[in-house]
Amino acid sequence: MDKTNPIRQMNEQKVIRQIIANGTISRSQISRNLGLNKPSVSEIVDKLINQGFVTELGPGESTSSGGRRPTNLQLNVDFGYVVIYELGEDVVYRMMSRIDASVFSVTEYAEPDHDIQKRMQIMIAHAQDADAPKGVPLRGVAVAVHGIVDQNQVVFSPFLDFKKVDVATQLNTTLHVPVKIENEANLSAIYVRDFDNHQRSKDLICISIHQGIGAGIIIDGRLRTGNHGEAGEIGQSVVYDHSLSSRGQLRTIESICSETAILQIVRERTGWKNFDLERLVSWYRRPDSLITGILNDFCYYIANVIYNVTMTIGPERIALNSRLIQALPELLIKIQNNIPKHASSPIQIDLVSDVRQCTLLGGCSVILRELLNTGEEPLTFKHLLS
């Protein structure tokens, strides 16, 4: 990209975003869509082809007026692939995709030890393994963490001791590609914006409910991370309880209604130490009065979290990223019914369309943005939208 000429750079970013959004498109259509003259578009496209980002296909369909058929363009999927990791509590998830975000491999590696060096070894070993396409180079890596990230470094994680390891620098030094580190909830929000945003909402929040509770915040189409990456740490919000505060103790919202907290409450009340999500769903379906009561409380608390976030930020949409709600979709209705009706107009509240892969796909978008230098405007992976 031409960083010496801001207008030229902006136009280059617009052109590459058009190619990403449409999957296949001609120079003339890009010119019409952007209102740029054809020679300028052709010059930019030729540069993108020379860089290896874009390739020409065969002629497209003629227009209604006839004439020469336009040559179609698309991202050059053989330019390279990217790898995205998510560092879960006891597992490392890996996704591989081409530079058009088409996924060709999703794998998980069990890693119960909370040892960052073991996870670094997994990430390095499996970034360029047998699953990678032959003859296609690795171009970038993204890593999702459950914790606070600032300036591409992990500041804090409640579930994994990073021991001040600079993950991005170590991976970059070993793999020799750009590396982006980001908070899991933030990546879920980026997924909603770039892959799952049929309404094209510019202001949205994605609330992730897993080991903890976090919110990724998109305002005017852009991710907002706040001071030192701490925006969206809603799970750390304090629940006011006079009996606890009088003893100098605090209780957070994620200690009550995160997925981990719910399972812990159930284990304590049933005496089953290995009570898991699958069994929780099964008992709720029986139905079991104890489980029903616990999940009714969960719906009540999450509804109030949504209400507080709505009143504070005023988004157009709130998307929930939760395995529990995915397994029991009727909980979403209970949550919606529990939200106080004080808002002047209703907002869209729903479940993300791909709970398992939304964080990884969000990471895919982040590293592709870095690799292709698409600028800060939202991307649209139109060819992947359902």
Side-chain angles (χ1 to χ4, degrees):
M1 294 292 175
D2 188 352
K3 297 184 179 180
T4 62
N5 185 330
I7 295 177
R8 174 58 179 257
Q9 181 184 13
M10 182 175 64
N11 288 337
E12 289 179 2
Q13 291 169 345
K14 288 180 179 179
V15 169
I16 192 70
R17 289 198 298 268
Q18 279 287 306
I19 297 171
I20 292 171
N22 289 277
T24 301
I25 192 171
S26 67
R27 291 174 174 82
S28 57
Q29 188 60 55
I30 293 173
S31 176
R32 288 191 291 271
N33 291 352
L34 297 179
L36 296 176
N37 62 62
K38 291 182 180 179
S40 294
V41 170
S42 290
E43 186 177 348
I44 292 171
V45 167
D46 289 343
K47 181 179 178 180
L48 293 172
I49 291 174
N50 289 334
Q51 290 174 322
F53 294 154
V54 173
T55 187
E56 290 184 314
L57 303 176
E61 296 181 0
S62 299
T63 63
S64 58
S65 58
R68 182 180 178 183
R69 292 192 297 170
T71 300
N72 280 330
L73 310 163
Q74 70 175 22
L75 289 177
N76 177 17
V77 295
D78 290 329
F79 175 75
Y81 71 96
V82 295
V83 178
I84 307 92
Y85 293 105
E86 180 183 352
L87 304 183
E89 186 172 14
D90 54 8
V91 67
V92 175
Y93 299 100
R94 186 201 66 179
M95 172 182 284
M96 290 178 158
S97 93
R98 303 275 187 159
I99 67 164
D100 63 347
S102 55
V103 176
F104 60 85
S105 176
V106 179
T107 314
E108 58 182 71
Y109 306 94
E111 182 45 67
D113 294 336
H114 292 183
D115 187 326
I116 183 58
Q117 291 299 347
K118 288 184 178 180
R119 293 174 185 233
M120 291 293 298
Q121 292 170 8
I122 289 173
M123 289 190 284
I124 291 168
H126 294 288
Q128 297 169 300
D129 63 12
D131 289 342
K134 293 182 179 179
V136 178
L138 173 67
R139 294 293 187 178
V141 174
V143 182
V145 299
H146 295 256
I148 299 173
V149 177
D150 184 37
Q151 301 297 317
N152 215 32
Q153 293 196 14
V154 181
V155 176
F156 169 76
S157 174
F159 313 112
L160 183 61
D161 184 3
F162 281 81
K163 300 177 181 178
K164 298 184 179 180
V165 171
D166 188 336
V167 175
T169 297
Q170 283 200 22
L171 291 175
N172 171 263
T173 301
T174 305
L175 300 174
H176 309 292
V177 294
V179 179
K180 297 293 289 184
I181 314 293
E182 188 53 89
N183 168 268
E184 171 270 338
N186 289 344
L187 293 180
S188 296
I190 289 172
Y191 163 80
V192 175
R193 181 194 66 189
D194 292 353
F195 292 89
D196 188 28
N197 195 6
H198 304 285
Q199 303 295 326
R200 305 314 305 161
S201 302
K202 298 186 70 176
D203 299 330
L204 61 89
I205 294 172
C206 184
I207 299 177
S208 289
I209 308 167
H210 301 299
Q211 295 105 319
I213 299 177
I217 303 169
I218 303 288
I219 301 295
D220 197 24
R222 299 185 181 184
L223 179 69
R224 307 298 181 179
T225 58
N227 189 35
H228 301 302
E230 295 177 335
E233 290 294 315
I234 59 175
Q236 297 300 312
S237 300
V238 173
V239 178
Y240 291 98
D241 186 325
H242 291 296
S243 64
L244 292 176
S245 61
S246 64
R247 299 195 298 270
Q249 296 175 311
L250 295 177
R251 194 179 188 192
T252 63
I253 192 67
E254 67 183 23
S255 70
I256 299 173
C257 56
S258 66
E259 181 180 303
T260 299
I262 292 296
L263 289 174
Q264 183 59 34
I265 290 169
V266 173
R267 288 165 188 156
E268 290 174 355
R269 295 189 186 180
T270 62
W272 288 52
K273 293 183 179 180
N274 296 321
F275 208 103
D276 58 12
L277 181 64
E278 184 178 354
R279 181 168 285 146
L280 180 71
V281 172
S282 175
W283 281 35
Y284 183 83
R285 295 262 188 239
R286 288 183 178 181
D288 179 88
S289 59
L290 172 64
I291 302 303
T292 298
I294 291 172
L295 292 186
N296 283 345
D297 289 343
F298 164 80
C299 293
Y300 171 80
Y301 281 114
I302 293 298
N304 280 275
V305 168
I306 291 172
Y307 176 77
N308 289 339
V309 169
T310 301
M311 292 297 99
T312 302
I313 298 177
E316 300 167 71
R317 178 186 178 190
I318 289 184
L320 303 179
N321 174 13
S322 166
R323 295 187 307 161
L324 176 57
I325 299 173
Q326 180 190 41
L328 294 171
E330 58 266 44
L331 297 183
L332 179 60
I333 299 174
K334 287 189 176 184
I335 290 169
Q336 293 168 333
N337 291 336
N338 271 296
I339 295 174
K341 307 300 182 183
H342 293 164
S344 57
S345 59
I347 64 169
Q348 180 182 351
I349 301 171
D350 55 17
L351 189 70
V352 299
S353 59
D354 190 341
V355 169
R356 175 53 262 154
Q357 296 188 18
C358 68
T359 298
L360 295 168
L361 285 168
C364 182
S365 180
V366 164
I367 193 61
L368 290 178
R369 178 186 301 276
E370 177 81 3
L371 179 63
L372 299 174
N373 192 19
T374 62
E376 295 185 7
E377 293 299 314
L379 298 178
T380 303
F381 293 96
K382 187 175 181 180
H383 63 293
L384 297 175
L385 292 175
S386 57

